Amino acid sequence: MIPFLFDYTSWDDWQAWLDDHALQIVLSIGFLLVLHWLLRRVISRVFRHAIARANSVRYVDPVLVKRRADTFTAVLTWALGVVLFFIGAGIVLAEFGLNISTLIAAAGIVGVALGLGAQLVVRDVINGMFILIEDQYAVGDTITVAGVTGEVIEINPRRTVLQDNEGNVHVVPNSSITVATNRTAGLNRIVVDVEVPFREADEARTLVNEVAGELMTERTRDYASAPRVADVRAMDGGDVLLRVVADAANGSKWEAEAELRRRLKRRFETERIEMRFGGAASEPEGAKA
């Protein structure tokens, strides 16, 4: 311990100490601050690229990507800030001549005790980070987790908050989520099954493509990908099922699906082709396109 800490009248000692140690303290703290800023920038960029790659298979709202990246960045930079703060405090205390080894040992014992008591919280955060990174679900999705079904109104690294149809709010710790079922139409996927007579299958497929072109021209904002015939299956009774799929933009699924059904029905009626929606397809027994 430097002796003049308890000698309040010895300004000369303070001035001599500052001449020897102040510059080193300032440089060390400045280095830690710059390091924290650089790590924040790197972490933010890495997470944004990772989230964009994870969502590359479907339409991604840039605002949601930025929001998730900001969440990850805030959590990790906070943790890094705590670590860097203790490093900086150790450097300053060492310059004052304090023996920080005892403090480190005590902090280690306390850390172990806290770690044993906070295992569940750590599991919450780790599981929550994977949920956010993998974009398993997002705010606004209807999901089933831990036996609870509802709309996601909040999600962070520690918990997921749902509101069910009766207005009840459920707070689910992320560590209790082992299976998450996203009920929001599988990533905004639209699936419309159209049954037509076998002899009309080719013409029906052409009409679907024409309707898809109209929708992508007139309602581009509602669709992330154009409707297309993804499957053709033989049905009992000699009919054929055309499975039409498309990806809707965020928040437009139900409206986009209703419009697709309406236009398909109107076009088929205009061309006098018998058709009906729905029906479960049997396993293909004939040709499959």
Side-chain angles (χ1 to χ4, degrees):
M1 178 75 69
I2 52 179
F4 64 82
L5 281 178
F6 300 99
D7 185 359
Y8 302 102
T9 62
S10 180
W11 168 247
D12 291 339
D13 287 337
W14 273 107
Q15 187 173 11
W17 182 86
L18 288 173
D19 291 339
D20 293 337
H21 300 275
L23 180 61
Q24 184 174 350
I25 292 176
V26 171
L27 290 177
S28 299
I29 294 177
F31 171 77
L32 293 176
L33 291 175
V34 172
L35 179 62
H36 184 263
W37 179 79
L38 288 175
L39 289 174
R40 182 183 180 88
R41 294 288 298 273
V42 171
I43 291 171
S44 177
R45 179 168 299 182
V46 168
F47 272 121
R48 288 188 185 184
H49 286 308
I51 295 169
R53 288 196 300 270
N55 290 288
S56 60
V57 297
R58 66 184 179 99
Y59 174 81
V60 183
D61 187 341
V63 175
L64 295 180
V65 172
K66 182 179 183 300
R67 187 181 302 170
R68 287 195 297 272
D70 290 343
T71 300
F72 304 146
T73 301
V75 173
L76 289 183
T77 52
W78 174 83
L80 288 172
V82 172
V83 173
L84 294 177
F85 170 79
F86 281 107
I87 293 176
I91 292 174
V92 173
L93 292 176
E95 291 296 325
F96 274 99
L98 295 174
N99 184 2
I100 63 173
S101 59
T102 303
L103 296 177
I104 293 175
I109 295 173
V110 174
V112 170
L114 290 176
L116 293 175
Q119 289 183 9
L120 198 59
V121 175
V122 173
R123 288 177 56 193
D124 287 341
V125 172
I126 292 175
N127 203 28
M129 294 296 289
F130 278 109
I131 290 172
L132 290 168
I133 291 174
E134 296 173 358
D135 192 21
Q136 297 177 13
Y137 49 82
V139 173
D141 287 346
T142 299
I143 66 172
T144 298
V145 292
V148 178
T149 299
E151 180 182 348
V152 180
I153 60 176
E154 180 186 345
I155 176 174
N156 59 49
R158 198 191 69 81
R159 66 180 186 173
T160 296
V161 182
L162 308 177
Q163 186 172 33
D164 61 24
N165 293 333
E166 298 179 355
N168 301 315
V169 175
H170 305 269
V171 179
V172 182
N174 290 329
S175 61
S176 65
I177 299 174
T178 56
V179 176
T181 303
N182 192 329
R183 297 180 177 272
T184 311
L187 307 179
N188 287 332
R189 174 58 57 89
I190 296 172
V191 179
V192 176
D193 289 338
V194 180
E195 295 182 27
V196 298
F198 180 80
R199 64 182 182 277
E200 308 287 0
D202 291 339
E203 186 175 355
R205 190 164 191 167
T206 300
L207 293 179
V208 170
N209 292 333
E210 291 177 359
V211 170
E214 293 175 1
L215 289 173
M216 293 305 294
T217 299
E218 301 173 13
R219 306 186 62 133
T220 305
R221 294 184 179 181
D222 292 338
Y223 296 90
S225 68
R228 68 188 187 281
V229 178
D231 194 9
V232 179
R233 298 188 179 186
M235 300 290 293
D236 295 336
D239 288 345
V240 173
L241 182 141
L242 305 180
R243 175 152 291 174
V244 182
V245 300
D247 291 319
N250 287 339
S252 301
K253 175 196 161 40
W254 306 118
E255 182 180 356
E257 181 175 340
E259 182 64 14
L260 175 59
R261 289 177 178 272
R262 185 181 70 82
R263 295 210 181 194
L264 286 173
K265 186 175 187 302
R266 186 175 63 183
R267 177 58 64 87
F268 277 76
E269 289 178 348
T270 300
E271 299 297 330
R272 298 184 182 278
I273 296 178
E274 181 184 352
M275 61 86 71
R276 63 179 181 273
F277 292 115
S282 61
E283 289 299 321
E285 298 175 353
K288 177 179 177 181

